[in-house]
């Protein structure tokens, strides 16, 4: 196994992995706070860091059928949420390439 290089985000408001405290996303990357995850509320982000992607999987979500990848913390492998790979409904195409981070899996720093 090699070294894990983690990206450190600038700015005062940062979301971190609840398990290992690795940086995951910046407050400035939030697109929406009105999402639902497996474990409660979730946020839609345009950019996240220090993650690894799981395999593509078709999943029926509240907003319809999507192809998604689960995302894991690259440091501790804790599941953090998912990435929208493809949306099958035209009204949901804006989510493609965006990330869901679940509030229950994150801690806030600098708030």
């Amino acid at each position: 196994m090699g070294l894990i290089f983690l990206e450190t985000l600038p700015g005062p408001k940062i979301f971190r992995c609840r398990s290992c405290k690795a940086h995951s996303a910046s407050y400035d990357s939030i697109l929406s706070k009105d999402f639902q995850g497996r474990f409660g509320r979730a946020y839609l982000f345009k950019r996240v860091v220090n993650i690894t992607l799981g395999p593509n999987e078709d999943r029926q979500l509240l907003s319809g059928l999507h192809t998604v990848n689960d995302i894991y913390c690259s440091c501790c492998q804790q599941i953090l949420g998912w990435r929208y790979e493809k949306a099958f409904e035209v009204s949901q195409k804006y989510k493609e390439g965006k990330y869901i981070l679940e509030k229950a899996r994150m801690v806030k720093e600098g708030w």
Side-chain angles (χ1 to χ4, degrees):
M1 190 119 182
L3 292 174
I4 298 174
F5 292 97
L6 298 177
E7 185 173 341
T8 301
L9 295 169
K13 295 183 179 181
I14 304 296
F15 290 90
R16 291 176 168 252
C17 171
R18 182 174 294 283
S19 295
C20 69
K21 309 300 187 268
H23 285 202
S24 296
S26 170
Y27 179 81
D28 296 337
S29 292
I30 295 176
L31 296 173
S32 176
K33 296 180 182 180
D34 295 327
F35 279 78
Q36 186 68 27
R38 293 183 196 121
F39 305 103
R41 296 205 47 210
Y43 296 156
L44 181 69
F45 288 86
K46 60 184 169 189
R47 180 176 182 266
V48 297
V49 297
N50 302 324
I51 59 152
T52 56
L53 294 174
N56 285 353
E57 174 184 329
D58 287 341
R59 195 176 292 165
Q60 185 68 39
L61 302 171
L62 293 174
S63 58
L65 183 63
H66 298 272
T67 301
V68 298
N69 313 89
D70 284 333
I71 57 176
Y72 302 88
C73 175
S74 60
C75 187
C76 69
Q77 298 303 307
Q78 172 68 42
I79 189 165
L80 301 176
W82 63 87
R83 177 182 181 268
Y84 288 102
E85 183 69 30
K86 180 179 178 185
F88 291 94
E89 295 182 26
V90 175
S91 65
Q92 301 299 310
K93 292 284 187 187
Y94 74 96
K95 295 178 184 175
E96 291 182 349
K98 307 299 188 296
Y99 302 86
I100 290 289
L101 291 180
E102 302 202 38
K103 272 186 76 175
R105 302 293 183 155
M106 309 302 296
V107 292
K108 296 177 182 178
E109 175 186 291
W111 301 68

